[in-house]
Amino acid sequence: MKIDLMKSLLVATTALLALSGPVHAQDAKPAYAPVTDEMLANPPAQDWLMYRGAYNNQGYSALDLINKDTVGKLQLAWAWPMAEAGIQETAPLVHDGIMFLQTNNNIVEALNAKTGDLIWQYRHVLPEIPASWSYQANQARRQKNSIALYQDKVILTTADAKIVVLSAVDGKVVWEKQVLDYNLGYSYTVGPIIADGKIITAISGCSIAGTAGGCYIFAHDVNTGDELWRFNTIDDPNNPKQEASWGDVPAENRWGGTPWTTGSYDPATKTTFWGIGMPGPYSELIRGSGDGSVLYTNSTLAIDIETGKLKWYYQHLPRDNWDLDSPYERILVDQDVDGKTQHLLVTAAGKNGIVFALDRDTGKYLWHKDTVVQNVVKSIDPDGTVNINTDLISKAVGEEHLVCASVSGGKLWMTGSYSPLTQAYYVPLTEACNTVAPTQTEFTAGNAVGAVKFGPRVLPEGITDAGLLDAVSINPTQGDHIWQARSRPSMTSSVLATAGGLVFGGDAARDIKAWDQKTGDIVWTQRLNAPVGGYPSTYEIDGEQYLVVPTGYSNAASSISSAFPEIPLPTGSGNSIFVFKLPKATN
């Protein structure tokens, strides 16, 4: 009995220690080369240093050992269960043979990228919040890509609105800073960009009752944590047009404008580009903004990295009444057009799935292309002015309209990728609509101020396949569909393009697939344990290329699962990563 009791105490003690800081599975510290500014500007092909591989957010790898001829020979190298349940939106990073894996509730792990062995684990201690703060509690369960690498550090943004800097070698805390007050509802759900000695972050929680009047993009000193500048996305006294666009709504009664997808960065012009989310409350009837465009919601912002000043903005969806966020990936592409280099920003900006191309030096609108069925945007003028369908704006509480795409996408957080091989943008999408009606609701602490009732997510009329991967030409034609690959289940992961001529991505049916970039033909598929999620990536060690595939619980899958009832979803979270590689002889 005493022996059994001692064993139980030992297990309990080990579990408690795991909650208090880094856990070390290996005594010897691994060799680790610092991540330099030069590496960030020109990432080594064998590494995966940022959530989309590089500052340009292209989600493209120059590795080509895994290609159309060899992909069928992929074998499982190792797998790893995630440390915590929650929504699977992780982006594993790899440098110097180490994989850095962030998971829900701000747990960070370092793994041997060749074998999958644990090196260390860090568990951030999150504060307890009241059970009634349901929306705020959910923020901790949806950490998308909350780490970045720089020098010998891992920079973590947390659900309680902190920046925490860890040692990449052992996971110990170097410094931490409380950026905003989580008691008001602020949180970080996405990770930073490290640029020019600065940590560039963007806060979430701006649609929670206590955060009215301020939603921010920040710069902090990477060594000290000192704040260098902040930009308020819903209150800009330097722009009278922005202030007027909210009508009679004062700053202290504004919500939304959340930049909840990590931006991109152009070192040549020292400009960072961020997409911004919807206004709150969602209906103009409730928020009181009349027919104002409510800047800078649903916009692209170009911000000077040194000063924090706005260079330009472009609004993709003015006067949003339906929670059709536009914060998604801003991809930077340099194209040769008539002998001149054109600096593009390309984005499927929001949930309605419309692809936009802008001149990233000026913000000038160039062209757009519809992807999924949508009925919110009627037209876009040659100067880029977006004209909405005002027939879908409710004029009374409870007045209901069928809106396409859905509040759950259309386009969601799952990012597209760009391939220079085909000069195409590959966008993962879901066909979906739902009804929307304004409501009168009480705004309570820890909960969103949406004040809208959404109906169930359904397929548009005449559509039988929920999933869509759209290959949109960027050059030489602009916005043409090169191909569209449709499937019954919805897309649930971001996609990865590689120099092997492939696009990797996955769906609610638990299949990771490889498409031929040129034709859209599926050349490889593998069924896994749960819907494919997060951000597939790739890296190389000792001449072997690896493919990383996250899997797990997916909001994107569950909210549209009634459209493909013959494909049951797993009841558990199943949050894991699977790592594939080619047999030695194949290389």
Side-chain angles (χ1 to χ4, degrees):
M1 291 294 292
K2 288 183 178 179
I3 293 175
D4 291 340
L5 178 61
M6 290 299 293
K7 286 182 178 179
S8 297
L9 288 172
L10 180 60
V11 170
T13 302
T14 303
L16 285 172
L17 287 173
L19 294 174
S20 61
V23 174
H24 303 278
Q26 298 179 358
D27 292 332
K29 292 183 179 181
Y32 187 81
V35 175
T36 64
D37 293 286
E38 174 59 28
M39 287 181 185
L40 292 179
N42 299 284
Q46 68 270 19
D47 285 350
W48 195 260
L49 294 183
M50 304 175 214
Y51 99 109
R52 297 304 287 153
Y55 281 141
N56 57 27
N57 277 5
Q58 290 183 3
Y60 173 79
S61 171
L63 299 180
D64 62 1
L65 291 177
I66 300 173
N67 53 51
K68 288 180 280 188
D69 296 326
T70 62
V71 66
K73 299 177 182 179
L74 281 174
Q75 297 178 351
L76 184 66
W78 56 269
W80 183 257
M82 302 286 279
E84 194 86 358
I87 303 166
Q88 174 56 289
E89 300 178 6
T90 192
L93 307 183
V94 178
H95 173 59
D96 211 13
I98 300 175
M99 177 181 290
F100 298 93
L101 181 65
Q102 55 77 30
T103 187
N104 302 292
N105 294 312
N106 298 132
I107 299 169
V108 182
E109 295 176 317
L111 305 170
N112 183 312
K114 191 169 186 176
T115 65
D117 294 330
L118 179 69
I119 300 171
W120 56 257
Q121 181 192 82
Y122 169 81
R123 285 179 173 260
H124 185 66
V125 179
L126 291 167
E128 291 190 20
I129 59 175
S132 60
W133 294 14
S134 59
Y135 187 92
Q136 190 166 340
N138 191 54
Q139 299 291 74
R141 299 180 63 253
R142 55 182 306 207
Q143 301 299 294
K144 293 175 182 61
N145 56 303
S146 59
I147 57 173
L149 304 179
Y150 185 62
Q151 297 173 345
D152 57 351
K153 313 278 192 309
V154 178
I155 294 89
L156 167 70
T157 53
T158 72
D160 56 342
K162 289 181 179 178
I163 298 174
V164 179
V165 177
L166 307 172
S167 164
V169 173
D170 56 22
K172 293 180 179 178
V173 176
V174 178
W175 61 260
E176 64 178 60
K177 182 180 181 66
Q178 186 73 55
V179 177
L180 289 174
D181 188 353
Y182 68 89
N183 287 299
L184 298 177
Y186 287 114
S187 64
Y188 280 118
T189 59
V190 295
I193 303 168
I194 312 301
D196 196 32
K198 301 174 182 66
I199 302 173
I200 312 299
T201 62
I203 204 70
S204 290
C206 305
S207 296
I208 291 179
T211 62
C215 198
Y216 305 100
I217 300 169
F218 295 95
H220 290 85
D221 185 277
V222 75
N223 295 312
T224 66
D226 293 341
E227 183 179 316
L228 302 174
W229 52 257
R230 66 171 64 183
F231 183 87
N232 191 337
T233 64
I234 55 176
D235 182 20
D236 183 4
N238 295 319
N239 184 355
K241 185 176 180 180
Q242 191 273 338
E243 293 293 301
S245 71
W246 284 80
D248 295 329
V249 181
E252 59 268 24
N253 287 338
R254 299 176 193 170
W255 284 272
T258 309
W260 60 270
T261 300
T262 303
S264 50
Y265 175 56
D266 185 349
T269 60
K270 293 195 173 182
T271 308
T272 185
F273 305 90
W274 291 77
I276 310 300
M278 77 293 166
Y282 302 155
S283 169
E284 64 187 41
L285 179 71
I286 306 300
R287 67 175 175 258
S289 57
D291 60 0
S293 60
V294 285
L295 292 168
Y296 298 111
T297 65
N298 292 320
S299 299
T300 296
L301 303 186
I303 298 175
D304 188 295
I305 205 86
E306 295 183 329
T307 65
K309 300 296 184 183
L310 183 67
K311 289 188 172 182
W312 57 258
Y313 67 88
Y314 174 83
Q315 191 168 38
H316 301 270
L317 182 64
R319 202 177 167 184
D320 186 359
N321 278 260
W322 316 277
D323 186 15
L324 294 179
D325 265 346
S326 298
Y328 304 128
E329 69 272 13
R330 267 55 179 176
I331 295 177
L332 310 184
V333 177
D334 291 343
Q335 297 281 24
D336 183 76
V337 178
D338 297 328
K340 296 181 180 180
T341 301
Q342 188 173 52
H343 301 145
L344 299 181
L345 182 149
V346 180
T347 177
K351 292 176 182 176
N352 58 26
I354 299 174
V355 173
F356 290 84
L358 308 176
D359 183 312
R360 73 171 182 266
D361 295 329
T362 65
K364 179 184 177 182
Y365 162 85
L366 299 175
W367 53 265
H368 75 278
K369 186 69 175 181
D370 277 286
T371 55
V372 293
V373 174
Q374 68 88 22
N375 63 356
V376 169
V377 173
K378 290 181 66 175
S379 63
I380 300 178
D381 296 339
D383 67 355
T385 300
V386 176
N387 304 298
I388 64 170
N389 181 0
T390 56
D391 292 340
L392 298 178
I393 298 176
S394 298
K395 296 176 177 60
V397 170
E399 182 183 319
E400 187 177 86
H401 297 279
L402 181 67
V403 175
C404 306
S406 162
V407 63
S408 298
K411 177 68 168 64
L412 282 173
W413 61 267
M414 296 87 79
T415 62
S417 62
Y418 169 81
S419 174
L421 301 182
T422 55
Q423 299 186 71
Y425 177 29
Y426 300 92
V427 192
L429 302 150
T430 297
E431 297 278 13
C433 309
N434 58 239
T435 57
V436 182
T439 60
Q440 291 280 15
T441 56
E442 181 183 359
F443 297 166
T444 58
N447 292 294
V449 300
V452 160
K453 180 182 178 181
F454 295 109
R457 201 175 179 204
V458 297
L459 292 175
E461 185 177 356
I463 299 289
T464 58
D465 294 331
L468 171 63
L469 181 62
D470 199 344
V472 180
S473 174
I474 308 302
N475 195 39
T477 58
Q478 298 178 334
D480 284 356
H481 298 294
I482 298 175
W483 50 261
Q484 292 183 309
R486 295 186 179 271
S487 61
R488 279 282 289 166
S490 60
M491 294 286 294
T492 52
S493 83
S494 300
V495 296
L496 166 73
T498 73
L502 301 173
V503 180
F504 292 95
D507 60 29
R510 317 195 319 272
D511 288 327
I512 177 68
K513 300 175 183 177
W515 290 267
D516 185 311
Q517 287 181 17
K518 292 182 179 179
T519 66
D521 294 335
I522 297 172
V523 295
W524 174 76
T525 185
Q526 176 68 56
R527 178 155 289 190
L528 300 174
N529 68 323
V532 180
Y535 304 83
S537 59
T538 188
Y539 60 93
E540 184 178 301
I541 299 176
D542 296 335
E544 293 183 297
Q545 185 180 351
Y546 294 75
L547 172 68
V548 187
V549 183
T551 65
Y553 176 76
S554 172
N555 269 354
S558 61
S559 64
I560 189 67
S561 58
S562 61
F564 40 89
E566 75 279 12
I567 303 173
L569 300 181
T571 56
S573 72
N575 287 7
S576 309
I577 57 165
F578 292 83
V579 180
F580 297 87
K581 71 172 185 176
L582 296 171
K584 271 283 190 182
T586 307
N587 295 341

